[in-house]
Amino acid sequence: MTSTHVQSGAMPPDVSHDHAPITPGEIAIGVSIGRASEYFDFFVYAIASVLVFPAVFFPFESQLTGILYSFLIFSFAFIARPFGTVIFMKLQRRFGREVKLTVALFALGVATAGIAFLPGYQDIGFAAVILLSLFRIAQGVALGGSWDGLPSLLALNAPPSRRGWYAMLGQLGAPVGFLVAASLFAYLLVNVSQKEFLEWGWRYPFYVAFAINVVALFARLRLVATDDYSELLDEKELEPSSVTRLTKSQGSVILIGALAALASYALFHMVTVFPLSWMTLYSERTVSDVLIIQIIGAALAAVCVILSGKLADKVGRRTMLGSLAFLIALFSGFVPMMIGGGEFGQDAFIIIGFILLGLSYGQASGAVTSNFEPRYRYTGAALTADLAWLAGAAFAPLVALGLSVEFGLSAVTFYLLSGALCTLGVLWLNKKSYMQEQ
């Protein structure tokens, strides 16, 4: 680790070396801030896809078709994200990680603010839909570019006996981000009229998202720009690598990492975006009522994410992922009965789903980071996360809502069950890949 050196009397001290070496706790704070801001952006858009975009951008279609179109555009960011990772890795190799992170988060902020100021279909016609799609693609590219290596660095520097604890810290941003985003929308729905909400109220959370991005940028740059951070990355060989060489050498590790947590990623949208869309369409409940139950669920999920760190350190991450995949498979069988069972069943679906999500998602990230060759860890971990989101979550709201409308709620059962079985299969076939994580 870097050490403070003595400067000559004629030279001022180098302030970049005037602090203690970076600890796992400091890295964890950087990870938590970065992920919470990204998830807040994520859920602001997701909730707006149900409550706002069908009316503002697709008023010429039925509410159901408008939501399905919104979910299609929602998936564009996940498709674009791996491309963003590749593009910004090249930018980092040429200009450095600080420039890359600044450009990526600035682009994310501009795309988010652009949506906030975007006119609707009634104002500029189909151009509004095109601009929404372009801004959504820009968000995905920017999210791919915002990879800073902090989760990998945290995983590799965490004490062996507390890997599960440190792994969950970045994942904690998901329930926190949803809780804040849902609370903002719930507040607006209760305090402004429907007309005001669709005219200007929905834009406010996007303004907030832009402001949070600015704060997160400076918080992360404060850590990323230090010499100690650079030396830690160099020590762990966490630098961008050729994607072509990575896929040829360790493509199987990327695939394993993306599929191993599929049960958790499949559940992710089933308890957040999907029930909101289903109940908006087919329930007499108010949207604010559903959001309040989801806010309670998100708070419980946050507690369960923290609990997952303790449990994983006791039983091992592979055991945690496998056990939760099995529970998600069981849970999937009760989906039609719960969602179709009135308010009590719907609330039970949301609360139990969030609890399972917290326990599983808390250990879903970076499970194979240490299995990459050192020179491939940085890029490999980023692409693994991108592909996990693409495979498990990108089309989940679109597929689940579309199939459930056509074939009934049993379609959601099969969707969740397929994700759980995929996770169990990958864990069983690749035991050796997870031995270091137990």
Side-chain angles (χ1 to χ4, degrees):
M1 205 67 64
T2 200
S3 58
T4 305
H5 58 276
V6 178
Q7 305 283 341
S8 65
M11 296 290 290
D14 184 352
V15 293
S16 65
H17 288 272
D18 251 8
H19 56 77
I22 293 175
T23 65
E26 290 177 290
I27 300 172
I29 291 172
V31 172
S32 300
I33 292 173
R35 297 304 168 265
S37 67
E38 290 172 6
Y39 281 115
F40 177 74
D41 269 20
F42 175 95
F43 284 119
V44 164
Y45 190 98
I47 295 172
S49 293
V50 177
L51 305 185
V52 178
F53 297 160
V56 174
F57 296 101
F58 302 103
F60 51 89
E61 295 287 358
S62 66
Q63 188 177 19
L64 169 62
T65 305
I67 291 176
L68 290 173
Y69 281 152
S70 297
F71 283 166
L72 178 62
I73 296 175
F74 177 72
S75 70
F76 290 174
F78 300 96
I79 298 170
R81 186 167 172 165
F83 295 98
T85 295
V86 174
I87 292 168
F88 277 89
M89 289 293 178
K90 292 182 178 180
L91 185 69
Q92 179 174 339
R93 285 199 293 269
R94 184 165 183 179
F95 298 106
R97 64 180 62 89
E98 294 94 337
V99 171
K100 182 195 87 163
L101 187 60
T102 301
V103 172
L105 291 183
F106 179 77
L108 180 60
V110 168
T112 303
I115 295 172
F117 288 101
L118 193 58
Y121 181 87
Q122 301 285 11
D123 299 309
I124 59 174
F126 200 73
V129 178
I130 295 173
L131 288 173
L132 178 65
S133 301
L134 292 175
F135 282 133
R136 184 57 178 165
I137 291 170
Q139 282 187 316
V141 171
L143 280 171
S146 68
W147 177 256
D148 49 22
L150 286 172
S152 296
L153 189 60
L154 180 60
L156 295 172
N157 282 275
S161 62
R162 303 197 71 196
R163 283 177 178 165
W165 176 260
Y166 283 100
M168 69 83 187
L169 291 171
Q171 306 300 83
L172 193 56
V176 171
F178 181 84
L179 195 154
V180 177
S183 297
L184 267 176
F185 275 101
Y187 176 83
L188 288 167
L189 287 168
V190 169
N191 288 278
V192 302
S193 68
Q194 179 71 5
K195 181 182 178 182
E196 290 173 325
F197 176 74
L198 291 176
E199 284 180 353
W200 60 264
W202 69 270
R203 302 176 189 272
Y204 179 71
F206 285 89
Y207 300 145
V208 175
F210 176 78
I212 289 176
N213 276 330
V214 173
V215 174
L217 170 61
F218 285 104
R220 292 163 77 178
L221 282 178
R222 181 179 176 273
L223 183 61
V224 169
T226 63
D227 288 343
D228 279 339
Y229 176 79
S230 298
E231 290 183 16
L232 272 174
L233 288 179
D234 292 340
E235 178 185 315
K236 302 295 184 182
E237 300 183 57
L238 291 174
E239 295 292 339
S241 57
S242 166
V243 174
T244 302
R245 286 196 289 269
L246 166 64
T247 52
K248 285 182 179 179
S249 174
Q250 301 218 273
S252 61
V253 180
I254 296 176
L255 186 61
I256 291 168
L259 296 180
L262 201 60
S264 180
Y265 282 90
L267 182 62
F268 199 91
H269 285 143
M270 291 301 98
V271 297
T272 54
V273 187
F274 171 73
L276 190 60
S277 64
W278 179 268
M279 294 177 205
T280 297
L281 290 166
Y282 301 113
S283 171
E284 298 298 322
R285 305 178 69 174
T286 63
V287 173
S288 57
D289 180 43
V290 177
L291 284 173
I292 288 171
I293 299 301
Q294 290 188 308
I295 289 167
I296 295 170
L300 292 173
V303 174
C304 290
V305 168
I306 296 171
L307 181 60
S308 78
K310 295 283 190 182
L311 292 174
D313 286 332
K314 288 182 179 295
V315 303
R317 183 179 294 169
R318 179 175 175 272
T319 301
M320 276 286 295
L321 288 174
S323 299
L324 267 300
F326 178 74
L327 291 176
I328 290 171
L330 289 179
F331 173 70
S332 69
F334 296 92
V335 169
M337 181 179 67
M338 286 190 286
I339 296 182
E343 289 192 17
F344 179 80
Q346 292 164 358
D347 292 350
F349 171 79
I350 292 171
I351 297 298
I352 296 171
F354 265 108
I355 289 172
L356 291 174
L357 179 64
L359 291 171
S360 60
Y361 191 69
Q363 298 301 311
S365 177
V368 293
T369 296
S370 60
N371 297 318
F372 284 107
E373 291 178 21
R375 58 180 171 159
Y376 294 131
R377 281 173 182 159
Y378 186 84
T379 305
L383 284 177
T384 298
D386 293 343
L387 294 179
W389 279 112
L390 181 59
F395 302 100
L398 177 65
V399 171
L401 181 60
L403 291 181
S404 61
V405 169
E406 186 69 23
F407 302 106
L409 288 168
S410 57
V412 180
T413 292
F414 286 111
Y415 189 89
L416 282 176
L417 183 61
S418 63
L421 292 177
C422 184
T423 292
L424 290 169
V426 169
L427 293 176
W428 181 74
L429 290 172
N430 297 276
K431 294 180 181 180
K432 290 184 179 180
S433 297
Y434 291 88
M435 291 305 291
Q436 298 180 60
E437 301 297 329
Q438 296 187 52

